[in-house]
């Protein structure tokens, strides 16, 4: 089950970066992110209601659901969408893969989890592999706009990691990921709508079929399915190990780029791919770190 969740997360989120790039343009970033999570929240709440499984989080959990909404379903994606206006989507996915390291550090900070040598070795291998994959492109296209995009992508990744910590707390409190996602996406959409009103951002209608297709994919697959599989994985195996899925996202992005954007593989790129995959093997073939009993319970909802 864990392997299926991991593979699904990699494949889904590995393709969302291109879809995000398709949405950058005439529609303001605030509005695009609002469209995404308003639709995702509506779909998930409706599906749970129809299945008779819609539950309202307890009052004590509401602040943490809102915090999860801010970290995972609004602020982080505002950063990622803004970053997509400055740097290629593949580069954003590379920066996002730093969530592996951030999750390990934050889990240590907030939950006292030990940082194992195996996790450090896996992160090092993954980072070296990603540097070989994308380092030459970064070095030859480094300007003010690129630095802005990198900074925004890093800030978005930090928000994402904080959201992982909140999700872990919610799972430990007995709040199922699918329930937290349904309300979190809805709260995130309301926060984004409030920001649209406060900033006077015009609500622009989707300009073409490609934008609409990207929106539907991002909302239904990237958000509803992707976040559910990922946060179930966090609840099952811990945030540090689950976040290693982010290291594989750029590999999916590169594959798509080879098919649709004429990306050319080089010997350095192949070596980078090998190191990244080796890091994945190191992370998942070692002994599993102990987790609190509540966190080890299946979180499927």
């Amino acid at each position: 089950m864990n392997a299926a969740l991991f593979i699904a997360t990699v494949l889904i989120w590995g393709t969302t970066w291109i879809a995000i790039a398709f949405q950058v343009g005439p529609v303001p970033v605030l509005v695009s992110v609002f469209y995404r999570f308003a639709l995702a929240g509506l779909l998930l709440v409706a599906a749970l209601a129809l299945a008779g499984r819609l539950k309202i989080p307890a009052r004590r959990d509401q602040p943490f659901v809102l915090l999860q909404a801010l970290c995972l379903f609004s602020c982080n994606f505002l950063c990622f969408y803004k970053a997509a206006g400055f740097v290629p989507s593949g580069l954003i996915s590379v920066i996002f893969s730093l969530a592996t390291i951030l999750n390990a550090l934050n889990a240590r900070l907030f939950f006292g989890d030990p940082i194992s040598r195996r996790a450090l070795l896996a992160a090092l291998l993954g980072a070296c592999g990603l540097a070989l994959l994308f380092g030459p492109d970064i070095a030859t296209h480094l300007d003010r706009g690129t630095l802005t995009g990198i900074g925004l992508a890093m800030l978005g990744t930090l928000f994402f990691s904080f959201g992982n910590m909140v999700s872990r707390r919610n799972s430990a409190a007995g709040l199922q990921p699918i329930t937290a996602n349904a309300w979190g996406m809805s709260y995130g959409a309301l926060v984004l709508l409030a920001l649209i009103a406060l900033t006077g951002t015009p609500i622009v209608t989707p300009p073409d079929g490609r934008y609409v297709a990207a929106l539907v994919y991002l909302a239904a697959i990237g958000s509803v399915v992707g976040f559910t599989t990922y946060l179930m994985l966090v609840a099952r195996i811990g945030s540090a190990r689950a976040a290693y899925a982010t290291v594989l996202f750029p590999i999916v992005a590169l594959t798509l780029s080879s098919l649709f954007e004429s990306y050319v593989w080089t010997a350095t790129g192949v070596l980078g791919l090998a190191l990244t995959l080796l890091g994945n093997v190191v992370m998942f073939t070692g002994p599993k770190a102990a987790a609190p009993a509540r966190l080890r319970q299946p979180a499927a909802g």
Side-chain angles (χ1 to χ4, degrees), residues 194-207:
L195 289 175
I196 289 171
L198 289 172
T199 58
T201 302
I203 298 181
V204 179
T205 57

Side-chain angles (χ1 to χ4, degrees), residues 38-125:
L39 178 57
L42 178 63
L43 289 173
L44 195 47
V45 168
L48 290 175
L50 289 173
R53 300 175 62 189
L54 183 62
K55 301 177 181 178
I56 298 178
R59 180 177 299 179
R60 68 178 183 277
D61 295 325
Q62 290 287 350
F64 294 99
V65 175
L66 177 59
L67 187 57
Q68 183 171 323
L70 291 172
C71 292
L72 290 182
F73 307 128
S74 53
C75 294
N76 61 327
F77 279 102
L78 289 177
C79 294
F80 291 139
Y81 277 64
K82 282 284 189 182
F86 295 98
V87 294
S89 60
L91 177 55
I92 299 173
S93 72
V94 174
I95 297 169
F96 185 62
S97 69
L98 294 176
T100 306
I101 300 172
L102 291 177
N103 272 7
L105 294 175
N106 283 329
R108 173 66 177 176
L109 176 64
F110 292 106
F111 299 102
D113 288 1
I115 301 177
S116 68
R117 294 180 180 179
R118 180 175 293 275
L120 290 175
L121 176 59
L124 178 62
L125 288 169

